[in-house]
């Protein structure tokens, strides 16, 4: 009896020493389609067929870590008030487009910013990590949605780590990641390039 108990205790102690394998939880997946989505349907955002129409609503619903798949269309953070911190701020988000010929992300700018930061985009203020993949990113689009300027102090405010992967970047932006910025397979087109 004592030998059996000793063996069991030894076995338990050996198991306690074996390192546990921790599996990272996969980020939440959310789907957005500005053309065909419906924010009010049941199970919204869970598949491409049940996509959100509003990116703002999708970002509001997203947890701290999420991958947001964007169908063809033009998107920007906090479209209602691009100069203010809102739904994507403080979250770690990856945006995956349908291709640089189909999906466009506009870095929004504001004129006469009273904060002194310049005409920059606050939609991800305080986020640790933001990633853009498979899309065209346009630097500093002003409130009329068509004016693109090559002014100083444009770009994203206070994102620690910013990444563009398999993207085309058009225009200019000065603010990138405050700690790191990674460009992987990115084509850059200077302001004024047709």
């Amino acid at each position: 009896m004592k030998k059996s108990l000793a063996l069991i205790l030894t076995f338990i102690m050996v198991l306690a020493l074996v390192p546990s394998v921790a599996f990272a939880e996969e980020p939440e997946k959310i789907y957005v389609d500005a053309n065909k989505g419906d924010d009010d349907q049941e199970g919204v955002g869970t598949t491409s067929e049940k996509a959100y129409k509003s990116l703002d609503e999708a970002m509001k619903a997203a947890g701290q870590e999420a991958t947001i798949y964007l169908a063809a269309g033009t998107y920007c953070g906090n479209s209602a008030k691009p100069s203010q911190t809102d739904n994507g701020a403080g979250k770690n988000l990856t945006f995956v487009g349908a291709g640089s010929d189909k999906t466009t992300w506009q870095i929004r700018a504001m004129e006469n910013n009273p904060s002194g930061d310049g005409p920059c985009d606050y939609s991800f203020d305080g986020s640790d990590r933001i990633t853009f993949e498979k899309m065209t990113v346009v630097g500093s689009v002003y409130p009329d949605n068509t004016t693109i300027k090559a002014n100083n102090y444009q770009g994203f405010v206070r994102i620690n780590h910013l990444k563009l992967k398999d993207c085309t970047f058009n225009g200019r932006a000065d603010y990138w990641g405050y700690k790191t910025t990674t460009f992987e397979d990115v084509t850059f087109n200077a302001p004024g390039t047709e």
Side-chain angles (χ1 to χ4, degrees):
M1 174 85 166
K2 287 184 180 180
K3 282 186 178 183
S4 297
L5 202 55
L7 284 172
I8 292 171
L9 282 173
T10 303
F11 182 68
I12 291 171
M13 289 171 65
V14 168
L15 284 177
L17 294 174
V18 175
S20 309
V21 177
F23 294 99
E25 191 174 311
E26 187 173 314
E28 172 183 21
K29 293 180 182 178
I30 299 174
Y31 296 84
V32 178
D33 188 332
N35 300 308
K36 300 176 188 172
D38 177 1
D39 293 345
D40 299 322
Q41 63 187 307
E42 187 175 324
V44 64
T46 55
T47 66
S48 57
E49 292 78 30
K50 293 186 174 202
Y52 279 96
K53 181 172 188 70
S54 164
L55 176 59
D56 285 342
E57 289 300 314
M59 288 191 299
K60 187 189 305 182
Q64 189 60 30
E65 299 268 341
T67 299
I68 299 177
Y69 293 89
L70 304 173
T74 299
Y75 302 88
C76 67
N78 194 11
S79 61
K81 300 174 185 171
S83 62
Q84 295 180 18
T85 301
D86 205 2
N87 301 323
K91 296 182 179 182
N92 297 321
L93 303 174
T94 297
F95 298 95
V96 181
S100 59
D101 58 334
K102 295 182 179 78
T103 305
T104 300
W105 187 280
Q106 297 178 337
I107 299 174
R108 301 306 293 266
M110 66 180 292
E111 307 218 51
N112 306 316
N113 186 345
S115 73
D117 288 328
C120 43
D121 188 323
Y122 288 84
S123 48
F124 303 112
D125 188 358
S127 292
D128 186 54
R129 181 188 48 77
I130 298 292
T131 301
F132 297 97
E133 297 182 17
K134 300 179 182 174
M135 65 182 73
T136 293
V137 178
V138 180
S140 296
V141 178
Y142 279 73
D144 65 3
N145 288 335
T146 59
T147 305
I148 301 169
K149 298 181 181 178
N151 290 340
N152 293 331
Y153 309 114
Q154 300 176 129
F156 292 112
V157 172
R158 292 181 284 276
I159 300 170
N160 285 330
H161 306 280
L162 184 63
K163 181 175 183 178
L164 271 66
K165 179 179 178 184
D166 297 325
C167 290
T168 299
F169 181 81
N170 295 337
R172 174 182 170 186
D174 295 348
Y175 293 139
W176 291 101
Y178 279 37
K179 293 184 179 178
T180 66
T181 302
T182 305
F183 299 108
E184 186 178 317
D185 295 322
V186 176
T187 300
F188 292 92
N189 295 315
T193 303
E194 293 297 320

